[in-house]
Amino acid sequence: MDRRSFLKQAGLAGAATAALATPAIAQSAPELRWRLTSSFPKSLDTLYGAADTFSKYVAAATDNKFQIQVFAAGEIVPGLQANDSVSNGTVEMSHTANYYFWGKDPTFAAACSIPFGLNTRMQAAWNYHGGGNDLLNEFFAKFNMYGLPCGNTGAQMGGWFRKEMKSAADFSGLKMRISGFAGKVLTKLGLVPQQIAGGDIYPALEKGTIDATEWVGPYDDEKLGFYKVAPYYYYPGFWEGGTVIHVMINKEKWESLPASYKSIVAAAAQAVTTDCLAKYDHVNPQAIRSLASKGMQLRAFPADFLAASFDAAKATYAEISATNADFKKAYDSMMAFRNDAYLWWQVAEFGFDNFMMTQQRAGKLS
Amino acid sequence: MDRRSFLKQAGLAGAATAALATPAIAQSAPELRWRLTSSFPKSLDTLYGAADTFSKYVAAATDNKFQIQVFAAGEIVPGLQANDSVSNGTVEMSHTANYYFWGKDPTFAAACSIPFGLNTRMQAAWNYHGGGNDLLNEFFAKFNMYGLPCGNTGAQMGGWFRKEMKSAADFSGLKMRISGFAGKVLTKLGLVPQQIAGGDIYPALEKGTIDATEWVGPYDDEKLGFYKVAPYYYYPGFWEGGTVIHVMINKEKWESLPASYKSIVAAAAQAVTTDCLAKYDHVNPQAIRSLASKGMQLRAFPADFLAASFDAAKATYAEISATNADFKKAYDSMMAFRNDAYLWWQVAEFGFDNFMMTQQRAGKLS
C-alpha cells in the first residue's frame, strides 16, 4: 500500500467514523432558537406580521425544532440598525426594507426599490428568474449577510400633502418626510427631505414643520391619521413601484444550517412574498374607501413633476454607476429587463385590467 | 371512582401507551413516496415545471423523506382526468387548472378562472386573505379532495386567429378551440367552441377545420407555432385574467400527513405560486418580441366584442347561481371583493404602471 492510498483509506475510514459518532437525525434537524429583529413596529401589522408568518412557517415545518423569535423595531436594536446587528452577529436575522441602508451603499436601495424601477411582479421575475437574487447575494456577502425576498408592499402611495400641488415648481423648497434614497433623487428638484421617525410625523405635519410625508399605502397610512392634517393624498409613489422586503441572515449562521433547514427557510420566505402582498391587496381596497369617507382628497401627481423626477432619477443612477460597480451591476441587470417587461405588460395584463377598470368606473362591477 | 372518570383515565392511559409504542420521530417524519399527476405535458415547462419545483421544495425540506414523483399528463391518466384519479385515490395528488372539471360542477371554474374575474394579485388576495381557500375547500371536500393554489399564469392571451376580427359579429359561427367554461359563455355570441388536444390544434388550424385557438401566452404559444397559420394574436384573454393552478390532494391522504408535512406542503405550494408566475413574467417579454419578429400581428379584441362577452358572462353567472349554491357562494364572495379591488387598482398600481408604460412607448426605458 503506497502512502497516498493509505491516507485515502484512512480519510475514508475517518469520515465513516465521524458519521457514526454523530447520529444523522441530530445533524439534519437540530434544535435552534434564533432571533429576528424587524425594522418595523408592531403597528405595521402587514410588514411586522410578515416576519411573524415567516417564523410560524419555519417552526411548523420543523415540528418547532427551529424557532425564530421575532422582535419589533427597537426591542433589540432600532429599526434602522437591523442589518448592522445581522452583519455583526448580534442577531441571526433581520426583516427589513434594504433601502434603509442606502447610506452605506446605494446598492441596498437597488435591492429593495428605486424610483421608476420594476413593478411588483417584475421585481419577483427579476429576483427569482432573472438572476437578481444571486447577483444581490454577491453584494450582501460583502456585509456578511445572505438575503431572501420575504414580502412586498405592491406599488405605494406618494403620500400626504398639506396643500394641493399644481406643478413641479411646487415641490421646490417643499419639506417632505421621505425615505432616504428617494429623497436624494428629489433634491434635484429642490425638495428638502426630512428624516423623521414614524411616531413624530403627525405632530410635525400638524404644526407645519413639514409640508408633506409619505408612508406606505391606504391601510398603513390610515392608522397614523395623516388625512386629518394633510388631506391631499397623491399617487403614484413612483419611488416604490414594488418594494421588496427581505429577510437578511448572518452569513455564517446561514451557512451553518443543515440543507433541509435552508430549504425550509427559502420556501417560507418565498411563500411570505405572496402572502404579505396578498394581505396588502386585500386590505388596501377597503382602506382607500374608508379614507375617502373621512375627507381624503385623492390626487395624481402633476405630469411635469413625474417627468422631471424621472429625469432626476436617471441622472442619479448615472452618477452612482460611474463610481459604484455593485450598484451598476444590479441596476444594469434590472434595466435590461425593464423595457421588454413594460412592453409586454401593455398587452395581456394591462389589456385585461384596463377593461375591468373601465367597467368599474361605469358602475358595472358592483 | 365513578364510571365516567374511570373511562376517562383509561382513555388517557391508552393514549399515553400508544404514544410510547410509536417513537415520536417515526410519527413526525415518516418516509413517504407519493405520486402527482400533472394535467400538463412536459413541453409546457412553466406549468409542468411548477409541479417539479413543488416536489423539489418538499423533498429538500424533509431530507428526501417525503418524495412526490411528478408524472406528466398521460403517463398515469390523461390530463383531463387528473382530479378523478385524486378523488378515487389512484394517485395522491394532481397539479391542474381546475376549470378543466367545470363539466362536473362549474364551481371548479370559479376556483381557477372565470371570464372577467379577478386579476392575478386579486386572486391571491382573495384566496389567502379573503377566505377563498377555505370556501373552496368546503367545495373540494365533496369530491374527496383538499386543494392549495400552486402556480399562476398571469393574464393570458386571447389566442390566434386566421383572420382579423373587426367586430362582435365576426365571432358568430367562429369555430374556436377554447377551454370549456369560457366556451360556454361565448356560445351566447354564436361562437362554436371546439375541444381539441394540444398536439392536434396546429393541423386543425392549418387546414381551416378551426378558425382560431387560444392556448396560454407568448412563451407557451410560440413553441406550438400557431403564428405560422393564424397570425392575428388577440388580447386580452379575458376568460383568464389570473388563472390559478392548484395542487389537489386526496382528502384522506392529506389528513394522514403529520402536521409538519402539511406545513411544508402548504408553504411549498404558496412559494410556487410566486415562482411559477415569476417565471412566466420573466420569459413572456422575450417571447412576445420573438413572435413579433416572426410575423405575429398583435391585435386588441374589438370593443363591442368585449362588451358583449362581459354581458354574456354576467348572464351565465346568474343562470348558474340560480341552481348551484356552491358556485353562487364562491362567485358572490369574489364579486364582493372585485369592485373595490378594481377601484383601488386604478390608484397606485395603475398610476405607476401607466407612467412607466408611457415612458416605454416613448423609448425612454431602453
mmCIF file of all heavy atoms in Angstrom, chain A residues 198-220:
data_model
loop_
_atom_site.group_PDB
_atom_site.id
_atom_site.type_symbol
_atom_site.label_atom_id
_atom_site.label_comp_id
_atom_site.label_asym_id
_atom_site.label_seq_id
_atom_site.Cartn_x
_atom_site.Cartn_y
_atom_site.Cartn_z
ATOM 1 N N GLY A 198 -41.502 57.409 12.594
ATOM 2 C CA GLY A 198 -42.939 57.244 12.381
ATOM 3 C C GLY A 198 -43.828 58.023 13.337
ATOM 4 O O GLY A 198 -44.714 58.778 12.906
ATOM 5 N N GLY A 199 -43.567 57.892 14.627
ATOM 6 C CA GLY A 199 -44.429 58.498 15.634
ATOM 7 C C GLY A 199 -44.372 60.017 15.674
ATOM 8 O O GLY A 199 -45.271 60.671 16.225
ATOM 9 N N ASP A 200 -43.309 60.599 15.119
ATOM 10 C CA ASP A 200 -43.142 62.059 15.169
ATOM 11 C C ASP A 200 -43.687 62.774 13.939
ATOM 12 O O ASP A 200 -43.711 64.014 13.893
ATOM 13 C CB ASP A 200 -41.651 62.418 15.333
ATOM 14 C CG ASP A 200 -41.065 61.820 16.614
ATOM 15 O OD1 ASP A 200 -41.837 61.671 17.588
ATOM 16 O OD2 ASP A 200 -39.862 61.498 16.628
ATOM 17 N N ILE A 201 -44.133 61.999 12.947
ATOM 18 C CA ILE A 201 -44.557 62.628 11.686
ATOM 19 C C ILE A 201 -45.829 63.464 11.875
ATOM 20 O O ILE A 201 -45.901 64.615 11.443
ATOM 21 C CB ILE A 201 -44.790 61.570 10.579
ATOM 22 C CG1 ILE A 201 -43.514 60.745 10.340
ATOM 23 C CG2 ILE A 201 -45.211 62.257 9.288
ATOM 24 C CD1 ILE A 201 -43.710 59.587 9.372
ATOM 25 N N TYR A 202 -46.835 62.853 12.537
ATOM 26 C CA TYR A 202 -48.128 63.529 12.656
ATOM 27 C C TYR A 202 -48.009 64.924 13.278
ATOM 28 O O TYR A 202 -48.477 65.912 12.678
ATOM 29 C CB TYR A 202 -49.130 62.656 13.421
ATOM 30 C CG TYR A 202 -50.515 63.235 13.446
ATOM 31 C CD1 TYR A 202 -51.463 62.865 12.492
ATOM 32 C CD2 TYR A 202 -50.883 64.176 14.407
ATOM 33 C CE1 TYR A 202 -52.738 63.419 12.497
ATOM 34 C CE2 TYR A 202 -52.154 64.734 14.420
ATOM 35 C CZ TYR A 202 -53.077 64.356 13.471
ATOM 36 O OH TYR A 202 -54.330 64.891 13.469
ATOM 37 N N PRO A 203 -47.381 65.066 14.460
ATOM 38 C CA PRO A 203 -47.261 66.421 15.045
ATOM 39 C C PRO A 203 -46.474 67.383 14.143
ATOM 40 O O PRO A 203 -46.833 68.566 14.063
ATOM 41 C CB PRO A 203 -46.542 66.184 16.377
ATOM 42 C CG PRO A 203 -46.055 64.783 16.360
ATOM 43 C CD PRO A 203 -46.889 64.032 15.390
ATOM 44 N N ALA A 204 -45.442 66.889 13.465
ATOM 45 C CA ALA A 204 -44.656 67.761 12.582
ATOM 46 C C ALA A 204 -45.511 68.273 11.418
ATOM 47 O O ALA A 204 -45.424 69.430 11.013
ATOM 48 C CB ALA A 204 -43.432 67.011 12.053
ATOM 49 N N LEU A 205 -46.371 67.399 10.936
ATOM 50 C CA LEU A 205 -47.255 67.748 9.830
ATOM 51 C C LEU A 205 -48.344 68.711 10.327
ATOM 52 O O LEU A 205 -48.703 69.680 9.647
ATOM 53 C CB LEU A 205 -47.895 66.452 9.307
ATOM 54 C CG LEU A 205 -48.299 66.307 7.846
ATOM 55 C CD1 LEU A 205 -47.188 66.702 6.889
ATOM 56 C CD2 LEU A 205 -48.699 64.847 7.589
ATOM 57 N N GLU A 206 -48.835 68.461 11.517
ATOM 58 C CA GLU A 206 -49.891 69.291 12.094
ATOM 59 C C GLU A 206 -49.398 70.723 12.312
ATOM 60 O O GLU A 206 -50.090 71.696 11.981
ATOM 61 C CB GLU A 206 -50.361 68.675 13.421
ATOM 62 C CG GLU A 206 -51.613 69.336 13.972
ATOM 63 C CD GLU A 206 -52.113 68.627 15.230
ATOM 64 O OE1 GLU A 206 -51.288 68.010 15.935
ATOM 65 O OE2 GLU A 206 -53.329 68.686 15.485
ATOM 66 N N LYS A 207 -48.187 70.846 12.856
ATOM 67 C CA LYS A 207 -47.614 72.169 13.136
ATOM 68 C C LYS A 207 -47.114 72.873 11.889
ATOM 69 O O LYS A 207 -46.811 74.061 11.914
ATOM 70 C CB LYS A 207 -46.416 72.023 14.093
ATOM 71 C CG LYS A 207 -46.792 71.757 15.540
ATOM 72 C CD LYS A 207 -45.503 71.597 16.381
ATOM 73 C CE LYS A 207 -45.741 70.715 17.586
ATOM 74 N NZ LYS A 207 -44.589 69.860 17.919
ATOM 75 N N GLY A 208 -46.936 72.097 10.819
ATOM 76 C CA GLY A 208 -46.388 72.698 9.608
ATOM 77 C C GLY A 208 -44.866 72.723 9.588
ATOM 78 O O GLY A 208 -44.267 73.390 8.744
ATOM 79 N N THR A 209 -44.237 71.992 10.520
ATOM 80 C CA THR A 209 -42.771 71.852 10.486
ATOM 81 C C THR A 209 -42.363 71.162 9.190
ATOM 82 O O THR A 209 -41.308 71.426 8.628
ATOM 83 C CB THR A 209 -42.276 71.011 11.694
ATOM 84 O OG1 THR A 209 -42.947 71.455 12.868
ATOM 85 C CG2 THR A 209 -40.772 71.114 11.853
ATOM 86 N N ILE A 210 -43.204 70.252 8.725
ATOM 87 C CA ILE A 210 -43.020 69.662 7.393
ATOM 88 C C ILE A 210 -44.297 69.895 6.593
ATOM 89 O O ILE A 210 -45.375 70.116 7.156
ATOM 90 C CB ILE A 210 -42.691 68.147 7.443
ATOM 91 C CG1 ILE A 210 -43.787 67.345 8.179
ATOM 92 C CG2 ILE A 210 -41.328 67.918 8.109
ATOM 93 C CD1 ILE A 210 -43.603 65.838 8.091
ATOM 94 N N ASP A 211 -44.139 69.868 5.251
ATOM 95 C CA ASP A 211 -45.279 70.135 4.359
ATOM 96 C C ASP A 211 -45.955 68.862 3.870
ATOM 97 O O ASP A 211 -47.092 68.905 3.389
ATOM 98 C CB ASP A 211 -44.794 70.906 3.124
ATOM 99 C CG ASP A 211 -44.038 72.164 3.502
ATOM 100 O OD1 ASP A 211 -44.625 72.992 4.218
ATOM 101 O OD2 ASP A 211 -42.863 72.306 3.101
ATOM 102 N N ALA A 212 -45.201 67.760 3.939
ATOM 103 C CA ALA A 212 -45.727 66.521 3.357
ATOM 104 C C ALA A 212 -45.002 65.322 3.946
ATOM 105 O O ALA A 212 -43.905 65.452 4.498
ATOM 106 C CB ALA A 212 -45.538 66.550 1.840
ATOM 107 N N THR A 213 -45.623 64.173 3.807
ATOM 108 C CA THR A 213 -44.980 62.922 4.224
ATOM 109 C C THR A 213 -45.468 61.786 3.356
ATOM 110 O O THR A 213 -46.591 61.820 2.857
ATOM 111 C CB THR A 213 -45.300 62.586 5.694
ATOM 112 O OG1 THR A 213 -44.502 61.452 6.082
ATOM 113 C CG2 THR A 213 -46.765 62.216 5.895
ATOM 114 N N GLU A 214 -44.590 60.824 3.142
ATOM 115 C CA GLU A 214 -45.061 59.571 2.534
ATOM 116 C C GLU A 214 -44.898 58.498 3.581
ATOM 117 O O GLU A 214 -44.085 58.625 4.510
ATOM 118 C CB GLU A 214 -44.281 59.229 1.258
ATOM 119 C CG GLU A 214 -42.785 59.144 1.387
ATOM 120 C CD GLU A 214 -42.254 57.727 1.635
ATOM 121 O OE1 GLU A 214 -42.739 56.791 0.998
ATOM 122 O OE2 GLU A 214 -41.351 57.591 2.483
ATOM 123 N N TRP A 215 -45.689 57.436 3.465
ATOM 124 C CA TRP A 215 -45.577 56.332 4.402
ATOM 125 C C TRP A 215 -45.665 55.043 3.594
ATOM 126 O O TRP A 215 -44.688 54.685 2.951
ATOM 127 C CB TRP A 215 -46.648 56.478 5.501
ATOM 128 C CG TRP A 215 -46.508 55.564 6.677
ATOM 129 C CD1 TRP A 215 -47.424 54.639 7.108
ATOM 130 C CD2 TRP A 215 -45.410 55.498 7.606
ATOM 131 N NE1 TRP A 215 -46.951 53.999 8.228
ATOM 132 C CE2 TRP A 215 -45.724 54.499 8.554
ATOM 133 C CE3 TRP A 215 -44.186 56.152 7.716
ATOM 134 C CZ2 TRP A 215 -44.867 54.138 9.599
ATOM 135 C CZ3 TRP A 215 -43.331 55.813 8.756
ATOM 136 C CH2 TRP A 215 -43.668 54.813 9.680
ATOM 137 N N VAL A 216 -46.788 54.389 3.483
ATOM 138 C CA VAL A 216 -46.852 53.156 2.692
ATOM 139 C C VAL A 216 -48.023 53.247 1.702
ATOM 140 O O VAL A 216 -47.881 53.666 0.565
ATOM 141 C CB VAL A 216 -46.975 51.893 3.582
ATOM 142 C CG1 VAL A 216 -46.932 50.631 2.727
ATOM 143 C CG2 VAL A 216 -45.853 51.852 4.636
ATOM 144 N N GLY A 217 -49.194 52.875 2.185
ATOM 145 C CA GLY A 217 -50.402 52.892 1.350
ATOM 146 C C GLY A 217 -51.604 53.055 2.261
ATOM 147 O O GLY A 217 -51.454 53.218 3.480
ATOM 148 N N PRO A 218 -52.821 53.015 1.706
ATOM 149 C CA PRO A 218 -54.022 53.339 2.475
ATOM 150 C C PRO A 218 -54.143 52.627 3.816
ATOM 151 O O PRO A 218 -54.449 53.255 4.829
ATOM 152 C CB PRO A 218 -55.162 52.924 1.530
ATOM 153 C CG PRO A 218 -54.580 52.975 0.174
ATOM 154 C CD PRO A 218 -53.114 52.700 0.309
ATOM 155 N N TYR A 219 -53.899 51.326 3.835
ATOM 156 C CA TYR A 219 -54.127 50.555 5.066
ATOM 157 C C TYR A 219 -53.204 51.010 6.191
ATOM 158 O O TYR A 219 -53.649 51.261 7.315
ATOM 159 C CB TYR A 219 -53.940 49.064 4.791
ATOM 160 C CG TYR A 219 -54.130 48.198 6.012
ATOM 161 C CD1 TYR A 219 -55.402 47.959 6.522
ATOM 162 C CD2 TYR A 219 -53.030 47.624 6.661
ATOM 163 C CE1 TYR A 219 -55.578 47.167 7.653
ATOM 164 C CE2 TYR A 219 -53.208 46.829 7.787
ATOM 165 C CZ TYR A 219 -54.477 46.611 8.274
ATOM 166 O OH TYR A 219 -54.651 45.826 9.394
ATOM 167 N N ASP A 220 -51.918 51.120 5.893
ATOM 168 C CA ASP A 220 -50.970 51.545 6.934
ATOM 169 C C ASP A 220 -51.122 53.032 7.245
ATOM 170 O O ASP A 220 -50.998 53.448 8.401
ATOM 171 C CB ASP A 220 -49.526 51.256 6.490
ATOM 172 C CG ASP A 220 -49.223 49.757 6.434
ATOM 173 O OD1 ASP A 220 -49.767 49.008 7.264
ATOM 174 O OD2 ASP A 220 -48.441 49.346 5.558
#
